[in-house]
């Protein structure tokens, strides 16, 4: 059932009902650039062998039945990833290792990070600010807590930020006002502390949607 992505560079598979294999020879996957396996029913952990496909530029496992800790694989080897879609699964744990791994790739290439609707927790790490090319960050409907790190202001290309429906109970930093390309900002359904002032909107000239 998984032959389709073994034999092509850009692979899309839908409606598969077998589990992801726990092990897989990756010598045949050295040219794989795009792997889309969303809308399936695998019901198993993120496979460790994904770490070995260093050529991956697009990884989409949204709505695929994935579960277990997000640090089950080594993200530091996937330095070419541009979009990473893991939304609407049963993935748990903190994203410290994921962010540190992908942002530690020198000129980090990540442009979109979507982790919506999982069981992720802990604080958003300060290293999130290393994703200089990030355009969209969707972390809603998880259990993240704490404050938004001040490094968020370093994401100069960010257009969409959604942290809604979490357990955020800290502050919103003034640096969010430095996101001059931000179009949509969703912070609702959290327990924010502190005051939101005009400083928070200082350079948000393109902001169209604020929730």
């Amino acid at each position: 059932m998984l032959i389709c992505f073994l034999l092509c560079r850009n692979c899309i598979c839908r409606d598969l009902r077998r589990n992801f294999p726990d092990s897989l020879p990756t010598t045949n996957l050295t040219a794989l650039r795009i792997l889309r396996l969303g809308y399936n029913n695998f019901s198993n952990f993120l496979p460790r062998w994904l770490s070995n496909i260093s050529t991956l530029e697009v990884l989409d496992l949204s709505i695929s039945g994935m579960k277990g800790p997000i640090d089950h694989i080594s993200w530091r080897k996937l330095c070419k990833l541009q979009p990473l879609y893991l939304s609407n699964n049963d993935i748990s744990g903190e994203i410290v290792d994921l962010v540190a791994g992908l942002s530690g790739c020198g000129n980090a290439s990540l442009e979109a990070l979507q982790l919506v609707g999982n069981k992720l927790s802990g604080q958003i790490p300060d290293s999130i600010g290393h994703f200089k090319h990030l355009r969209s960050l969707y972390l809603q409907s998880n259990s993240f807590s704490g404050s938004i790190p001040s490094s968020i202001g370093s994401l100069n290309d960010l257009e969409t930020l959604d942290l809604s429906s979490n357990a955020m109970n800290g502050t919103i930093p003034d640096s969010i006002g430095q996101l001059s390309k931000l179009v949509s900002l969703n912070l609702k359904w959290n327990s924010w502390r502190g005051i939101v002032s005009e400083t928070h909107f200082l350079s948000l000239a393109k902001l169209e949607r604020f929730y």
Side-chain angles (χ1 to χ4, degrees):
M1 293 298 291
L2 295 175
I3 290 296
C4 58
F5 77 79
L6 290 174
L7 300 180
C8 62
R9 291 191 176 189
N10 305 337
C11 306
I12 301 175
C13 304
R14 293 285 174 87
D15 299 321
L16 302 178
R17 296 189 179 277
R18 291 186 180 181
N19 283 354
F20 244 30
D22 292 329
S23 62
L24 191 71
T26 54
T27 53
N28 295 328
L29 303 180
T30 54
L32 188 63
R33 295 172 45 246
I34 299 174
L35 179 57
R36 297 185 186 273
L37 292 172
Y39 298 90
N40 285 298
N41 187 24
F42 293 121
S43 299
N44 63 330
F45 282 21
L46 289 166
R48 295 182 187 277
W49 51 260
L50 280 176
S51 305
N52 298 322
I53 311 176
S54 59
T55 53
L56 271 184
E57 297 175 11
V58 177
L59 177 57
D60 186 355
L61 297 176
S62 300
I63 318 178
S64 60
M66 290 293 160
K67 62 182 180 180
I70 199 165
D71 59 358
H72 194 60
I73 71 174
S74 177
W75 298 100
R76 69 179 182 275
K77 298 180 182 180
L78 302 179
C79 289
K80 294 184 178 181
L81 275 184
Q82 296 174 13
L84 173 59
Y85 305 130
L86 297 177
S87 293
N88 298 305
N89 286 294
D90 196 26
I91 301 171
S92 59
E94 300 187 7
I95 63 170
V96 176
D97 289 342
L98 180 147
V99 175
L102 294 181
S103 65
C105 295
N107 187 21
S109 60
L110 199 67
E111 297 179 1
L113 179 59
Q114 297 186 9
L115 304 175
V116 182
N118 282 289
K119 294 181 178 178
L120 299 168
S121 58
Q123 299 190 20
I124 300 171
D126 194 61
S127 52
I128 197 77
H130 294 159
F131 292 130
K132 302 301 182 182
H133 303 294
L134 197 65
R135 299 176 60 186
S136 61
L137 179 59
Y138 292 92
L139 301 179
Q140 67 265 35
S141 301
N142 282 285
S143 297
F144 291 112
S145 59
S147 303
I148 300 176
S150 58
S151 64
I152 201 78
S154 300
L155 303 179
N156 298 323
D157 289 337
L158 197 64
E159 298 173 359
T160 303
L161 174 61
D162 196 331
L163 301 176
S164 61
S165 300
N166 276 289
M168 307 289 289
N169 54 2
T171 58
I172 302 171
D174 292 347
S175 61
I176 207 167
Q178 300 172 17
L179 301 176
S180 59
K181 295 184 180 180
L182 199 64
V183 175
S184 179
L185 175 62
N186 193 342
L187 303 177
K188 66 182 181 181
W189 305 119
N190 285 287
S191 300
W192 300 110
R193 298 179 181 178
I195 299 173
V196 177
S197 67
E198 62 181 13
T199 308
H200 291 83
F201 299 91
L202 192 61
S203 299
L204 303 186
K206 294 186 177 181
L207 190 65
E208 297 178 359
R209 297 178 294 278
F210 175 46
Y211 309 98

